[in-house]
Amino acid sequence: MKLDFTPEETAFRDEVRSFLKDALPEDLRRKMINRDHLTKEDTVRWQRILNARGWAVTHWPVEYGGQAWTPAQRYIFQEEMALAHAPEGSPFNVNMIGPVLCKFGTPAQKERFLAATANIDIWWCQGFSEPGAGSDLASLKTTAVRATDADGDHYVLNGQKIWTTQAQHADWMFGLFRTDNSGKKQQGITFLLLDMQTPGITVRPIETIDGEHDANEVFFDDVRIPVENVIGEEGRGWDVAKHLLGSERSGIARIGLSKERLSQLRALETRLARDGTLGEEEQRRLAHKLAEVEVELRALELTQLRVVAADAHGGGANAAASILKVKGTEMQQRMTELVTELAGPAGLAMPDHDHAPNDPDDGWVHAAAPFYFTMRKVSIFGGSNEVQKNIIAKTMLGL
């Protein structure tokens, strides 16, 4: 299997690299390097720059604004974005509700939402998890009862969602709601779109261990949602959700992100050794750890390229996507552990968002602990690593 990039793919990499060099605002690049928290305005600004170039929703069908890129081009684009320290845009708009609307939306829904979603004229949040229904999402209990009155057909929603990321910013929510309890728990679930300004919706903040407010609780008290806001069929929302949760193999390991972080670690190692912060024994230990990480990252990259090559020839990756998910998230977490180790006791202080550090190059020190804490969750996203390991054991080992 040939894993080298073609001359055309290399030229494409150069095109992407040139665009990012010219188009990425320096203040956003600096925020990404220092692990500063991006505001809503930061994300909107960058996604609109990408959208103006036609690169905000590249994996959508071409008729809805996507690009007819090969798996290799998608991989190259994602890697160059990470290496350039570019933000990723809104995953809820780009990777979740957008593809769902492209596949399951009615013509009227596509006309109303797709272009606005690509340009973040609408900011979306995801209403899936509930207390007692996280990894076992099909156990959700928030109800949507169908009713008809003088205003027409609608659903009345009651219940609660939790860990709803960026609900405080959202214009609309896409979510799963229980419309029938008579069958298996995966049945009787309906996928709905909700205007967040609808009466009866209450958003309450959750401050996470990294000191940020991204997560929220959302409560529904007799919230009326028009029936035309159903995506797909009533009671078949689980099928829609499975489509949404299907991760793209070309980017699941986030190789570019880990490469960028390894490069930063190398630069920090050089700087700290030069100014005498690291002693000789500490330098040797750190060099050994970085060498281990680099070898593992290279092995992961080769596995990713095998999947990209298989996709390009119509082959299936089988359990390879699960391997990439497990190792990719473990690598991301390992990077944060090394940064925290380098920061030492100074990294234990929470960052002061109102005051910049005296030395701009020292921003990483105060971001080390929050970054470490927030990256603990990546092994849960997209199907927990424990579930992925079960898939690997069953599919590849026959256990």
Side-chain angles (χ1 to χ4, degrees):
M1 184 175 291
K2 185 175 178 58
L3 300 180
D4 294 332
F5 291 116
T6 66
E8 292 78 13
E9 290 162 349
T10 300
F12 174 74
R13 182 189 291 277
D14 292 339
E15 179 187 359
V16 173
R17 192 170 291 175
S18 176
F19 167 77
L20 292 172
K21 180 180 178 181
D22 295 337
L24 177 61
E26 177 60 24
D27 62 314
L28 295 187
R29 189 184 76 88
R30 177 53 56 181
K31 277 191 171 186
M32 293 294 292
I33 291 173
N34 288 338
R35 311 296 180 220
D36 291 338
H37 191 75
L38 296 181
T39 66
K40 176 181 179 179
E41 291 71 24
D42 291 333
T43 300
V44 170
R45 178 161 52 121
W46 177 237
Q47 186 158 321
R48 286 178 178 170
I49 291 172
L50 288 175
N51 199 40
R53 180 65 176 80
W55 287 356
V57 291
T58 58
H59 59 289
W60 292 12
V62 173
E63 60 266 33
Y64 303 126
Q67 297 284 335
W69 285 353
T70 64
Q73 286 177 306
R74 292 197 297 270
Y75 173 80
I76 289 168
F77 180 73
Q78 290 162 351
E79 181 176 61
E80 290 301 321
M81 284 273 287
L83 292 175
H85 311 288
E88 295 184 325
S90 169
F92 305 105
N93 285 44
V94 174
N95 298 326
M96 298 183 187
I97 190 59
V100 162
L101 287 166
C102 290
K103 183 173 178 64
F104 296 98
T106 65
Q109 289 168 341
K110 292 174 181 178
E111 176 68 24
R112 181 178 183 184
F113 293 115
L114 279 178
T117 296
N119 204 49
I120 316 194
D121 297 327
I122 297 174
W123 184 287
W124 292 89
C125 67
Q126 178 189 47
F128 277 19
S129 295
E130 299 180 5
S135 297
D136 184 17
L137 183 58
S139 295
L140 63 88
K141 300 185 186 308
T142 299
T143 58
V145 178
R146 190 159 179 168
T148 303
D149 58 20
D151 295 327
D153 290 343
H154 57 272
Y155 293 96
V156 180
L157 277 54
N158 283 282
Q160 177 190 359
K161 298 293 180 179
I162 198 167
W163 310 121
T164 311
T165 303
Q166 298 180 350
Q168 75 272 28
H169 299 318
D171 303 302
W172 281 73
M173 171 189 285
F174 57 89
L176 297 175
F177 299 88
R178 176 70 59 187
T179 49
D180 185 1
N181 280 306
S182 62
K184 295 180 180 180
K185 63 182 181 180
Q186 288 84 3
Q187 299 171 335
I189 294 173
T190 299
F191 195 110
L192 291 172
L193 308 181
L194 295 71
D195 185 334
M196 291 294 284
Q197 297 303 312
T198 306
I201 297 178
T202 302
V203 177
R204 190 164 71 188
I206 300 173
E207 184 174 312
T208 48
I209 196 170
D210 61 349
E212 298 293 351
H213 169 208
D214 267 342
N216 301 271
E217 296 176 285
V218 182
F219 299 89
F220 306 94
D221 297 293
D222 292 331
V223 177
R224 294 161 59 94
I225 300 300
V227 168
E228 58 262 31
N229 287 15
V230 173
I231 299 294
E233 300 177 33
E234 180 179 301
R236 299 293 300 273
W238 193 249
D239 295 335
V240 181
K242 286 193 296 184
H243 178 78
L244 182 152
L245 293 170
S247 301
E248 283 200 344
R249 295 184 217 136
S250 60
I252 194 170
R254 304 182 83 186
I255 302 293
L257 186 66
S258 291
K259 280 185 174 182
E260 178 265 330
R261 289 173 182 164
L262 179 59
S263 175
Q264 281 194 289
L265 279 166
R266 290 287 192 196
L268 284 172
E269 175 194 28
T270 300
R271 178 187 169 195
L272 295 175
R274 185 177 60 244
D275 65 18
T277 303
L278 294 178
E280 290 186 9
E281 182 58 32
E282 291 174 306
Q283 289 182 49
R284 281 194 292 269
R285 285 200 302 267
L286 179 59
H288 179 74
K289 291 176 182 179
L290 290 178
E292 285 184 333
V293 167
E294 190 164 4
V295 169
E296 288 189 36
L297 182 56
R298 181 57 177 160
L300 182 64
E301 182 179 24
L302 289 173
T303 304
Q304 175 77 83
L305 290 173
R306 287 168 52 204
V307 172
V308 170
D311 280 348
H313 293 87
N318 298 319
S322 294
I323 294 173
L324 292 171
K325 166 61 168 57
V326 172
K327 289 302 297 182
T329 53
E330 288 178 351
M331 288 296 298
Q332 293 166 50
Q333 291 174 338
R334 181 67 177 134
M335 300 291 183
T336 70
E337 293 165 8
L338 289 173
V339 170
T340 304
E341 183 178 334
L342 279 175
L348 296 178
M350 291 299 287
D352 185 345
H353 295 295
D354 295 325
H355 298 90
N358 293 329
D359 183 347
D361 291 332
D362 283 340
W364 68 274
V365 174
H366 299 298
F371 189 46
Y372 168 85
F373 288 131
T374 196
M375 291 300 286
R376 296 301 93 192
K377 64 193 176 189
V378 297
S379 53
I380 299 173
F381 291 166
S384 72
N385 282 8
E386 288 73 20
V387 171
Q388 303 304 321
K389 290 175 182 178
N390 286 339
I391 293 172
I392 294 167
K394 180 178 180 180
T395 306
M396 302 191 76
L397 304 178
L399 299 177

